[in-house]
Amino acid sequence: MNRTALNRTAVLAFAVVVLFAVSVLLGSYTVTIPDFVKILLAHLTGGEKIPGASFIVMENKLPRAVIGTMIGAGFGLAGALFQTMLRNPLASPDVIGISYGASAAAVTAIVVFGASGAVVSGAALAGALGVAALIYAISRGGSLGSGGSGGGNRGNAAGSRLILAGVGIAAALHAVVSFLMTRADIRTAADALVWLNGSLNSASWDRAGVLSLALVVLVPAVAALSGPLRILELGDDAAAGLGIRVGFTRLAVVVVAVALAAVATAAAGPVAFVAFLAGPIARRFTAKASLPASAFVGALIVLAADYFAANIAPLLLDGTVLPVGVVTGALGAPFLLWLLVTSNRKDA
């Protein structure tokens, strides 16, 4: 990364820290910095707790902010990996069906089997991985899954097949979800709808622990793939000439990106458009493609959207608390339209 991009990435990292602090300290229940330090130390050492405040901070605000930061980073990295590998800004888990795979599996678990909690998260994880495997198998006829050098045109064709296969499967899974929702009773449908929109209301330290363990494994894998991925942007022939195993690298990127999106979705539901937005916004802010910047932008989007949904929306909507996915979806739809318009102008 050049100095300008590095400095701007550092600005994004600082913004994440600031917004994290705002999420924990401010809002409908405010906490001073000395009280937060006292609460945190008391929790770690078993000291005297502040009645009410300790529970709100340690069991609600702090795990919510921690999970929001981690899922934002996970979605941001997943989207940036897909978009960089396929050289297409539309190639994100939201668009190519992976999130719908998680949604269909989770809604099936809720409506058909009456599942809740960790079982729903496990079903979402399995659904995302299963749909990703199906999409990859359909698109494997091109260089996306080949082990040879493969030409650039073959790589682009395989990437286009992956996106088209994902869009088609997403449409089918959306129909499955709609059918299940019509067959559910009102209470079950309401539970499923909250999950479908993506929400941090059920954030807990158990979920934070599982998510952090997954990221401890996946983030180093992203770092290891960043070098070959940058060379892969030059084209399949050039990458193969530089010693990159094109087919293996593409497969590894797909596996890591799907795993990131799957664990993030399992933790909080399919928070819409975070993976789609993070990469292009980071690219425009840093003036180049950057995986770290995409992770920070994803975290910023989720933290800002959740703060608005939990603290500002109730003031505007007579006490209604919105799921975080509703806010990110409202941001993503106009951005998608703008991206399509600008792409058409470039192609004209």
Side-chain angles (χ1 to χ4, degrees):
M1 296 177 66
N2 59 40
R3 185 174 296 275
T4 300
L6 190 61
N7 290 338
R8 292 184 178 182
T9 302
V11 170
L12 290 173
F14 178 74
V16 171
V17 174
V18 171
L19 197 51
F20 183 93
V22 168
S23 299
V24 175
L25 301 177
L26 302 180
S28 57
Y29 186 91
T30 59
V31 181
T32 64
I33 294 178
D35 281 346
F36 173 75
V37 173
K38 182 179 179 181
I39 290 169
L40 186 60
L41 291 176
H43 182 80
L44 295 175
T45 62
E48 183 180 357
K49 298 181 179 180
I50 301 176
S54 294
F55 177 83
I56 292 173
V57 171
M58 297 307 304
E59 302 300 329
N60 186 336
K61 294 173 76 73
L62 191 57
R64 189 184 187 107
V66 168
I67 290 181
T69 302
M70 289 194 292
I71 68 166
F75 279 128
L77 285 173
L81 285 172
F82 273 118
Q83 290 162 348
T84 303
M85 182 188 72
L86 299 177
R87 284 168 276 178
N88 191 322
L90 295 179
S92 78
D94 310 280
V95 177
I96 65 175
I98 295 170
S99 296
Y100 277 104
S103 298
V107 172
T108 300
I110 294 171
V111 174
V112 178
F113 300 103
S116 62
V119 177
V120 175
S121 298
L125 180 62
L129 295 175
V131 168
L134 178 60
I135 294 170
Y136 186 83
I138 294 173
S139 63
R140 198 170 182 263
S143 65
L144 187 68
S146 64
S149 60
N153 291 334
R154 289 176 60 198
N156 292 337
S160 298
R161 277 195 294 274
L162 187 146
I163 294 173
L164 291 174
V167 170
I169 292 173
L173 292 174
H174 180 71
V176 171
V177 171
S178 298
F179 171 76
L180 291 172
M181 293 292 284
T182 61
R183 305 298 297 175
D185 60 77
I186 294 177
R187 185 181 297 275
T188 304
D191 293 339
L193 187 60
V194 170
W195 195 93
L196 283 171
N197 284 322
S199 174
L200 295 176
N201 291 338
S202 58
S204 65
W205 288 117
D206 290 338
R207 292 194 179 191
V210 173
L211 185 56
S212 63
L213 288 176
L215 293 182
V216 164
V217 175
L218 294 172
V219 171
V222 173
L225 289 169
S226 61
L229 184 62
R230 190 187 313 173
I231 297 174
L232 202 61
E233 288 187 86
L234 302 174
D236 289 0
D237 288 336
L242 293 171
I244 298 298
R245 297 170 59 189
V246 175
F248 175 80
T249 301
R250 288 184 183 276
L251 177 60
V253 170
V254 169
V255 170
V256 173
V258 168
L260 283 166
V263 297
T265 302
V271 184
F273 286 123
V274 177
F276 172 73
L277 291 169
I281 292 175
R283 182 187 290 270
R284 282 161 177 76
F285 186 76
T286 61
K288 65 178 299 182
S290 171
L291 293 175
S294 299
F296 292 137
V297 170
L300 282 172
I301 292 172
V302 175
L303 288 173
D306 185 59
Y307 186 84
F308 178 88
N311 299 290
I312 299 176
L315 301 178
L316 304 175
L317 302 173
D318 295 328
T320 301
V321 177
L322 297 175
V324 63
V326 172
V327 180
T328 59
L331 293 173
F335 186 86
L336 174 60
L337 295 175
W338 175 81
L339 188 63
L340 291 172
V341 169
T342 54
S343 297
N344 289 337
R345 288 176 180 174
K346 288 180 182 179
D347 295 337

